[in-house]
Amino acid sequence: DAKTTQPPSMDCAEGRAANLPCNHSTISGNEYVYWYRQIHSQGPQYIIHGLKNNETNEMASLIITEDRKSSTLILPHATLRDTAVYYCILPFYGQNFVFGPGTRLSVLP
Amino acid sequence: GAVVSQHPSWVICKSGTSVKIECRSLDFQATTMFWYRQFPKQSLMLMATSNEGSKATYEQGVEKDKFLINHASLTLSTLTVTSAHPEDSSFYICSASRTGQPQHFGDGTRLSIL
């Protein structure tokens, strides 16, 4: 079983920020949180990952709570192309991914 | 960024034939490669993990004699579905990573067995 829980679906208006939450209450001190997304019929695309500090790259920002039990992926200005299933993942044994059902984000025009 | 190429992207074949899928890391040397399977409307399921030059580690319930994995170099891994049957029809996805780096995924192979 995946070590994370995410809402099954979310809607976001085009141009607005999309905030995708993830709970990982059993996270251990040296476990990273990874975020990927999968657009229909494609392989997952890496978005961002973090340990304890907030992270930002050209795709998104990752906000990790101080106790590290939850995180939020932020897409600052969602576009229709951001419609996808978003996965929050804590690896097993440092590298093995167990994908949960993820959050299906629908960006609406 | 890191690029992983998977080939073929789509294959249709008759029941009983064997199908080979290639996974290549194009711009980095991958210490580990992973194979996943995804059925319609389901999430990805890890099938096996392989390191270059050593035998793959299969997840529980995945038949190693059915799904042969070869990881001959730091840039190439292959998955052979032997004697494929209709129930093996699925979306097969590989990923590759270097030590301490995120996994990067190929675009998948859609396998249809008639």
Side-chain angles (χ1 to χ4, degrees):
Chain A
D1 292 343
K3 297 191 282 185
T4 62
T5 55
Q6 300 175 252
S9 64
M10 292 182 64
D11 291 340
C12 176
E14 188 178 17
R16 304 298 293 269
N19 298 308
L20 293 93
C22 178
N23 286 326
H24 32 80
S25 58
T26 61
I27 194 170
S28 64
N30 60 351
E31 284 184 309
Y32 282 79
V33 180
Y34 290 82
W35 282 84
Y36 286 77
R37 71 182 182 185
Q38 186 177 25
I39 296 170
H40 183 61
S41 296
Q42 297 181 21
Q45 178 188 21
Y46 167 75
I47 302 173
I48 200 167
H49 73 287
L51 181 63
K52 56 178 73 173
N53 297 323
N54 298 337
E55 302 286 346
T56 295
N57 63 20
E58 64 278 4
M59 290 184 69
S61 295
L62 175 60
I63 309 299
I64 303 174
T65 58
E66 193 169 339
D67 63 6
R68 301 188 67 237
K69 293 185 176 181
S70 66
S71 60
T72 301
L73 179 75
I74 301 172
L75 308 179
H77 304 287
T79 70
L80 299 179
R81 293 182 181 180
D82 293 322
T83 292
V85 178
Y86 287 76
Y87 298 102
C88 167
I89 302 169
L90 269 64
F92 282 81
Y93 312 120
Q95 61 174 13
N96 288 6
F97 285 178
V98 175
F99 283 79
T103 295
R104 184 172 298 276
L105 175 68
S106 298
V107 180
L108 307 175
Chain B
V3 179
V4 176
S5 174
Q6 197 170 332
H7 177 80
S9 57
W10 198 5
V11 59
I12 301 173
C13 60
K14 293 181 179 180
S15 182
T17 58
S18 294
V19 179
K20 180 185 282 188
I21 302 169
E22 290 189 351
C23 179
R24 295 181 184 270
S25 55
L26 297 185
D27 54 357
F28 68 101
Q29 292 189 322
T31 49
T32 309
M33 287 187 168
F34 306 81
W35 287 95
Y36 296 81
R37 180 168 52 181
Q38 185 175 31
F39 292 106
K41 298 188 178 181
Q42 295 185 20
S43 195
L44 283 77
M45 292 184 59
L46 180 65
M47 298 175 67
T49 302
S50 74
N51 295 294
E52 182 260 344
S54 59
K55 290 184 179 180
T57 300
Y58 290 81
E59 294 298 299
Q60 191 171 14
V62 179
E63 300 174 55
K64 62 181 180 181
D65 295 330
K66 174 76 171 177
F67 300 98
L68 301 179
I69 293 172
N70 183 277
H71 192 167
S73 77
L74 286 172
T75 60
L76 173 65
S77 176
T78 61
L79 169 68
T80 301
V81 183
T82 62
S83 186
H85 292 285
E87 58 267 28
D88 298 322
S89 297
S90 188
F91 191 47
Y92 292 86
I93 308 169
C94 74
S95 71
S97 71
R98 291 170 290 189
T99 303
Q101 296 296 314
Q103 292 183 35
H104 292 277
F105 289 79
D107 273 339
T109 297
R110 191 159 302 281
L111 174 63
S112 296
I113 308 298
L114 304 178

